[in-house]
């Protein structure tokens, strides 16, 4: 069944968040703060390792070099200019605030932070794109099933400190991955291996920025940097056209 991967992913996030919220009830505030710092460190290292895995290459001479540095810089600069102009951070936060006003969410003091943080983490990454394309084109949800396991653990930890806002990240996730799955036939030619690798590179930097916010408090408007993910796609398409 096409779309099963995203359905399972949504259910996994709901389950992980639910377990995390149950754990949160038994945690002292001081322990929650310490866990938040630990989660920030872990997220930063995930971002760093994923970034380096895309940037570092071994030359024919056996030396270690780098690739994609300038593309990453231009993507972040151009993407941030676009994001700041559109004020995407405020848009996501306002969406979170509207959800928080619902009666069942009113007691969650960190609802918006949890919603924005989890949304960026579960939506950014190569697995979301490749998995959704495979699900739509081949009816193969295996990559999204694997992602579901990872997201379940991630959201469980997030929800244990940030609360129910984490669970609501299933809304943008469902729209994002479901949209790619439904439009897979149209989008597939544009997502070459090179473009997906560049997307993973830029996305990993954004995940590192999420780690900074978790550890130090909100220092980086990560949502305003999300348009950076568009630049590698446009660059890759330009390369295909001019080749």
């Amino acid at each position: 069944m096409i779309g099963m991967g995203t359905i399972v992913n949504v259910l996994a996030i709901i389950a992980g968040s639910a377990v995390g919220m149950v754990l949160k009830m038994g945690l002292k505030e001081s322990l929650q703060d310490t866990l938040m710092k630990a989660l920030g460190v872990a997220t930063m290292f995930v971002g760093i390792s994923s970034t380096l895995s895309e940037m570092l290459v071994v030359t024919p001479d056996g030396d270690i070099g780098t690739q994609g540095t300038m593309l990453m810089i231009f993507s972040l600069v151009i993407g941030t200019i676009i994001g700041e102009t559109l004020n995407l951070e405020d848009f996501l936060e306002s969406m979170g605030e509207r959800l928080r006003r619902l009666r069942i969410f009113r007691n969650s003091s960190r609802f918006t932070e949890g919603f924005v943080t989890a949304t960026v983490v579960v939506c950014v990454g190569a697995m979301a794109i490749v998995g959704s394309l495979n699900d739509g084109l081949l009816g193969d949800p295996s990559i999204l099933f694997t992602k579901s396991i990872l997201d379940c653990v991630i959201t469980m930890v997030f929800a244990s400190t940030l609360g129910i806002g984490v669970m609501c990240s299933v809304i943008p996730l469902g729209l994002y991955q479901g949209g790619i799955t439904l439009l897979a036939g149209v989008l597939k030619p544009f997502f070459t291996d090179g473009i997906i690798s560049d997307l993973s590179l830029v996305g990993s930097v954004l995940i590192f920025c999420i780690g900074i916010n978790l550890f130090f408090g909100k220092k980086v408007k990560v949502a305003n940097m999300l348009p950076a993910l568009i630049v590698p796609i446009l660059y890759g398409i330009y390369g295909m056209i001019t080749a």
Side-chain angles (χ1 to χ4, degrees), residues 92-124:
L92 271 181
E93 288 185 351
S94 65
M95 184 187 299
E97 281 299 313
R98 290 192 192 99
L99 289 171
R100 192 181 68 84
R101 293 192 191 105
L102 298 176
R103 183 172 298 178
I104 58 174
F105 301 141
R106 284 179 183 171
N107 294 328
S108 179
S109 60
R110 306 185 73 174
F111 181 93
T112 302
E113 182 182 358
F115 172 72
V116 174
T117 298
T119 295
V120 174
V121 171
V122 300
C123 289
V124 170

Side-chain angles (χ1 to χ4, degrees), residues 16 24 29 53 71 73 79-80 83 109 118 134 137 157 182 226 231:
K24 178 182 175 69
E29 188 173 341
S53 69
L71 177 62
I73 294 172
T80 300
S109 60
N134 281 0
L137 290 172
V157 178
L182 292 174
L226 287 176
V231 178

Side-chain angles (χ1 to χ4, degrees), residues 67-79:
Q67 62 181 5
T69 304
M70 294 307 299
L71 177 62
M72 177 190 68
I73 294 172
F74 281 116
S75 296
L76 292 174
V77 171
I78 295 172

Side-chain angles (χ1 to χ4, degrees), residues 199-212:
L199 277 171
S200 181
L201 169 60
V202 177
S204 297
V205 176
L206 299 185
I207 290 175
F208 171 76
C209 293
I210 284 286
I212 292 176

Side-chain angles (χ1 to χ4, degrees), residues 54 67-68 71 75 126 129-130 188-202 229 231-237 239-240:
E54 298 294 342
Q67 62 181 5
L71 177 62
S75 296
I129 297 173
V130 177
K188 176 66 174 177
F190 300 105
F191 285 98
T192 64
D193 290 342
I195 289 177
I196 291 174
S197 177
D198 291 337
L199 277 171
S200 181
L201 169 60
V202 177
L229 296 170
V231 178
I233 299 175
L234 297 178
Y235 177 76
I237 293 174
M240 287 188 289

Side-chain angles (χ1 to χ4, degrees), residues 13 36 43 48-49 52 88 92 97 111 116 120 133 136 145 157-158 196 223 239:
I13 290 174
M36 180 64 69
T43 305
I48 291 171
S49 61
L52 292 179
L88 295 180
L92 271 181
E97 281 299 313
F111 181 93
V116 174
V120 174
L133 288 173
F145 285 169
V157 178
F158 278 171
I196 291 174

Side-chain angles (χ1 to χ4, degrees), residues 5 20 24 28 35 38 40 59-61 117 148 175 185 192 203 209-210 218 228:
K24 178 182 175 69
K28 296 180 180 178
L35 283 175
T59 65
D61 297 329
T117 298
S148 298
L175 294 173
T192 64
C209 293
I210 284 286
K218 189 174 178 180

